[in-house]
Amino acid sequence: MRKVIVSLFALLFIYSCTPRAIPVIPSVTTGEVTSITTTKATFAGDVTADGGAAIIARGVCWSTSQFPTISDSKISSGTGLGVFTVNITNLSPSTTYYVRAYATNSVGTTYGEQRSFTTINANIEYGSFMDTRDNNLYKTLIAGNTEWMAENLKYLPEVVGPGTTTNSYTTAYYYVAGYDSTDVFTAKSTENYKIYGVLYNWKAALIACPSGWHLPSDVEWTHLENFLADNGYNFDGTTGGGAERIAKSMATDSGWLISYIVGAVGNIDYPENRNKSGFSALPSGQRASDGGFSNVGSHSGTWWTSTEHSTYDAWNRNLFYNNRNISRSYPDKVSGFSIRCIRDN
């Protein structure tokens, strides 16, 4: 019995004399800032080591001054090790912020690398651009840091009439609605050219924009739609919803068929929001895959994107006189639609 007691004391002595690790502050890294809008942004952090003590808080802090701390604005995101993501709202437009991830254990708080970002301008600005290929002058608008042509492109290096003989997936074809010949000068003298610009098959649309500009992708169209919806360009003054309520603010306030659907392009309701964005979309119609022109000057406008859906079709955007949304579809590439160009970043 005495030997057992001595052994226990010996073990206790050895344990009490064994050096134990003293906890230190944790380690954390700051990830990239993504999904930046006028008032929102998404942040990532990664707690890579707990310092020998449990992580009791982690998150992101931010400020308009450098090296923010948890005494500034912050939002927490759980506890423990690992990657976390935080969405921040109620930021101010056109403002530069500094952000750091943080992690806290019983010893204290540590911070990751500082990153900075600037929120998008909430207002639309306007300008102009001269296409030196033909000296056409275009109104432009800047929305969400991207400059768009606010008129349909009129670049017309050659022209063909309607008909299935000018259907092609590989050859660029240019059309003027209602024109049925091949003389560029005559085509440019028509009212449809002057008002609505040129209709392009997808092959032509990809190469028609002037140097320094390009055909917007499906994603770039979505960015514009979200910008407008998030910044007060819905027909009824609400915010959010993407493409669902912004058609009226994108379309000209005349030239469309009459509609009695609330908020539709062709309805004269909400007059203060008709073409509020200045995008000035017109019912420029289309050249269908069967070779005929349709819906010009009344019913709808359609614009190509640069994004392919398949070998034979590509994504586009549509405005209809009786809809309050801008819709999305993937017609045959041999169709002829309008285009808007956006400036390269």
Side-chain angles (χ1 to χ4, degrees):
M1 182 70 177
R2 184 179 178 183
K3 290 182 179 180
V4 171
I5 293 173
V6 171
S7 297
L8 288 172
F9 274 111
L11 288 173
L12 289 171
F13 177 78
I14 292 171
Y15 176 78
S16 64
C17 292
T18 300
R20 282 175 287 176
I22 299 174
V24 295
I25 58 175
S27 298
V28 61
T29 61
T30 305
E32 296 299 322
V33 185
T34 59
S35 302
I36 301 168
T37 71
T38 54
T39 60
K40 303 175 185 178
T42 299
F43 309 87
D46 185 6
V47 182
T48 56
D50 62 12
I55 301 297
I56 57 177
R58 66 185 189 181
V60 169
C61 55
W62 69 95
S63 173
T64 55
S65 300
Q66 294 198 50
F67 304 109
T69 70
I70 56 175
S71 297
D72 297 301
S73 298
K74 70 174 182 177
I75 187 167
S76 61
S77 181
T79 59
L81 294 169
V83 176
F84 60 91
T85 302
V86 171
N87 297 310
I88 294 180
T89 60
N90 298 320
L91 301 173
S92 297
S94 303
T95 303
T96 298
Y97 289 92
Y98 300 91
V99 60
R100 296 196 292 178
Y102 71 87
T104 303
N105 64 9
S106 59
V107 178
T109 299
T110 189
Y111 300 92
E113 309 90 329
Q114 175 175 275
R115 301 194 185 279
S116 64
F117 67 99
T118 301
T119 49
I120 293 171
N121 185 355
N123 299 315
I124 291 179
E125 301 174 0
Y126 301 94
S128 61
F129 168 76
M130 174 74 77
D131 187 346
T132 57
R133 297 175 300 179
D134 52 17
N135 293 326
N136 271 311
L137 180 66
Y138 297 92
K139 296 176 182 178
T140 67
L141 62 85
I142 301 172
N145 295 339
T146 302
E147 186 171 11
W148 288 72
M149 287 184 178
E151 301 176 65
N152 291 344
L153 189 68
K154 294 181 176 179
Y155 177 61
L156 188 65
E158 58 188 59
V159 63
V160 295
T164 56
T165 57
T166 56
N167 281 357
S168 179
Y169 297 103
T170 58
T171 300
Y173 282 122
Y174 307 79
Y175 315 93
V176 172
Y179 182 72
D180 190 14
S181 191
T182 58
D183 184 73
V184 171
F185 179 82
T186 304
K188 286 184 175 182
S189 68
T190 65
E191 286 301 303
N192 280 345
Y193 172 83
K194 295 174 184 177
I195 297 172
Y196 303 114
V198 176
L199 301 175
Y200 304 84
N201 72 356
W202 193 67
K203 183 66 175 181
L206 292 175
I207 61 174
C209 291
S211 177
W213 296 72
H214 65 273
L215 184 67
S217 68
D218 185 63
V219 169
E220 287 170 319
W221 271 97
T222 300
H223 286 168
L224 175 64
E225 294 157 5
N226 289 337
F227 175 88
L228 294 176
D230 291 343
N231 289 285
Y233 293 91
N234 286 343
F235 75 85
D236 55 0
T238 59
T239 57
E244 292 303 313
R245 293 170 175 254
I246 59 172
K248 184 181 291 289
S249 75
M250 298 182 71
T252 52
D253 58 5
S254 61
W256 299 82
L257 288 175
I258 295 174
S259 171
Y260 297 102
I261 296 173
V262 174
V265 169
N267 195 329
I268 62 173
D269 61 348
Y270 298 94
E272 71 279 4
N273 290 329
R274 301 187 78 189
N275 201 28
K276 181 179 178 180
S277 70
F279 191 79
S280 299
L282 291 160
S284 48
Q286 59 192 268
R287 176 200 178 272
S289 57
D290 65 6
F293 297 115
S294 61
N295 300 327
V296 181
S298 59
H299 183 276
S300 61
T302 306
W303 296 266
W304 281 120
T305 82
S306 63
T307 304
E308 189 175 44
H309 176 261
S310 76
T311 302
Y312 301 106
D313 43 49
W315 290 104
N316 69 359
R317 290 299 188 277
N318 309 278
L319 285 178
F320 296 96
Y321 78 99
N322 57 351
N323 282 0
R324 60 190 187 187
N325 67 301
I326 180 168
S327 61
R328 178 174 175 262
S329 59
Y330 46 91
D332 199 303
K333 292 176 182 177
V334 303
S335 305
F337 300 136
S338 303
I339 66 174
R340 296 293 181 96
C341 303
I342 63 175
R343 192 184 290 273
D344 299 342
N345 291 329

